[in-house]
Amino acid sequence: GESVGLHLPTLSVQEGDNSIINCAYSNSASDYFIWYKQESGKGPQFIIDIRSNMDKRQGQRVTVLLNKTVKHLSLQIAATQPGDSAVYFCAETNSGGSNYKLTFGKGTLLTVNP
Amino acid sequence: KAGVTQTPRYLIKTRGQQVTLSCSPISGHRSVSWYQQTPGQGLQFLFEYFSETQRNKGNFPGRFSGRQFSNSRSEMNVSTLELGDSALYLCASSPTLWAGGGETQYFGPGTRLLVL
């Protein structure tokens, strides 16, 4: 069935280091992927997205990589800061289907140590 | 511009009761989607409303329903509450129909429902 999973439930990094959060997906029909950040007591916040016709997309300090061959998605955060501490979710959807729905991974807790 | 607002922020109900949650989208946004977040199941899509019509729904029983008003505000109702309905209910708005990626969704802070 459809599922989105994360390899690491927790990730602890030092301030200034680069962080990499990984995500595996199983639905080969998914063509749109999103990374969200959720801080305690808040709703998810959009970070970056990527469509299946791309392998890489960059934002401000963040890069998303998509490997459709192995159905793998990653989020790279450069120069990680304490404010980056949060739970990060990947999500996938088949945007072209009539029954689209956003399927979320379980989340990875990123802790940035000063 | 004000963000997505949800009321109430916290709610305690007992089994068998019903509950109505409210979501006010960002001004000018016409689409509202609802999600349930639990520690066990994570974030799950409930439904999306656009132009007062439900456009898509997730795999939830009929006890979960919603509606959207002409001003784009949306309500979600859960009838005959069960213990497993305890969760954080999030709504998200987007300028037009989200439909799986047409626009960026902006989430509210959520309503935390506890069913005893």
Side-chain angles (χ1 to χ4, degrees), chain A residues 1-6 22-27 30 32-38 43-48 73 87-94 100-108, chain B residues 33-47 60 88 90-92 98 100 105-107:
Chain A
E2 299 175 44
S3 68
V4 177
L6 294 167
N22 295 303
C23 176
Y25 65 95
S26 61
N27 185 3
S30 292
Y32 181 57
F33 306 87
I34 310 168
W35 280 100
Y36 289 95
K37 170 187 180 183
Q38 187 173 23
Q45 176 187 354
F46 172 92
I47 301 174
I48 192 167
L73 194 67
V87 177
Y88 289 81
F89 295 95
C90 63
E92 62 168 318
T93 186
N94 176 5
Y100 64 87
K101 63 175 182 177
L102 202 56
T103 302
F104 288 83
K106 295 299 184 184
T108 292
Chain B
S33 296
W34 288 90
Y35 296 84
Q36 181 196 65
Q37 186 174 27
T38 61
Q41 298 299 317
L43 273 156
Q44 294 182 286
F45 172 74
L46 280 157
F47 27 66
F60 280 82
L88 180 67
L90 294 155
C91 80
W98 186 76
Q105 289 189 314
Y106 298 86
F107 283 81

Side-chain angles (χ1 to χ4, degrees), chain A residues 12-19 61 77-81 84 112:
Chain A
S12 184
V13 300
Q14 291 298 123
E15 182 178 358
D17 287 351
N18 296 332
S19 302
R61 285 200 306 118
I77 305 174
T80 314
Q81 303 168 359
D84 294 327
V112 182

